[in-house]
Amino acid sequence: MQNNRRKTMTQFFDFTNKVVVITGAGGVICGELAKSFGKQGAKVALLDLNGEAAQKFADEIIAEGGIAKAYKTNVLEKESLEAVREAVNKDLGTVDVLVNGAGGNNPRATTDNEFHEVGLSAETKTFFELDKAGIEFVFNLNYLGTLLPTQVFAQDMVGKEGANIINISSMNAFTPLTKIPAYSGAKAAISNFTQWLAVHFSKVGIRCNAIAPGFLVTAQNERLLFDENGNPTPRADKILRNTPMGRFGESNELVGGVFFLADSTLSSFVNGVVLPIDGGFAAYSGV
Ligand code: NAD
């Protein structure tokens, strides 16, 4: 299955000499995307606050004969982004594809309870106890953390043939999940911003689309999905019941959708879409 998928990718997608800048590239999803772009001939710039994590993936790409460079970057600091843009332009060339992948939730912006009820214990972190700084952190990381890299890197995309931007939204953007109001709101803002950018840049040849991954098990949601003994939590059971395909996704299952959106021939007229890659979650009413 894996080998067949690789064969198909090689056959259909060729990013030779395309400069692909990926933020959050030290993470589970974007590390996988970076390696996949590397295999298809792209020159990959891996940006992450965690420079070591980005370096690890860059090393893997290089070890397989690809071209990659890691840059320690804070997507929330414009000076950091501008310095990295200059370095990328010098090392690899100007960007063709920007993947805005840095993002995530924070426990300070997560309630303990799904529904508010009378008589909850004093220890319960309800909506009323959510921390303002935690909520700001989540909004900033997801929304500003997409807007600022776009401001910096899209300057080099104006008028560059085939240039495009791919954001990472979420299932939360279509219908909010319980417990995580800030993350849901921030990802809804990402979907909205994707459409805004698609329109705004439509006259200068930059397409902008997003993917909305369904449920994958990663470091940031593991605590919500499995208990300390590794058994699925009631929340994980609920997710699986509401995913018609009945399983969690794997990060490599996002690659085909991202490649399609990034490929300026295959998706040349696709602009402003948010593509769910979710095993049917967004299509299912639960009944
Ligand atoms: P991850 O935590 O594995 O990766 C996120 C990466 O972003 C980390 O390497 C982290 O160091 C980096 N980062 C954090 N703050 C940063 C900053 N200020 N500047 C630069 N880099 C920073 O998460 P992931 O699961 O791979 O998620 C990647 C994207 O996909 C995120 O936008 C996430 O919200 C989204 N997403 C994930 C899932 C899922 O199920 N895992 C589902 C839908 C959407």
Side-chain angles (χ1 to χ4, degrees), residues 171 174-175 242-244 276 278-285:
M171 286 300 108
F174 300 109
T175 308
N242 282 283
T243 301
D278 65 345
F281 183 91
Y284 185 43
S285 70

Side-chain angles (χ1 to χ4, degrees), residues 20 22 25 31 34 44-48 54 57-58 61 68-73:
V20 179
I22 306 181
V44 190
L46 297 94
L47 281 51
D48 203 292
F57 287 118
I61 295 170
K69 196 147 170 57
Y71 303 86
K72 184 173 162 60
T73 317

Side-chain angles (χ1 to χ4, degrees), residues 90-114:
K90 202 160 127 265
D91 297 337
L92 305 174
T94 58
V95 59
D96 293 284
V97 179
L98 170 65
V99 180
N100 284 308
N105 189 31
N106 188 283
R108 291 179 297 162
T110 304
T111 64
D112 289 340
N113 53 330
E114 293 191 339

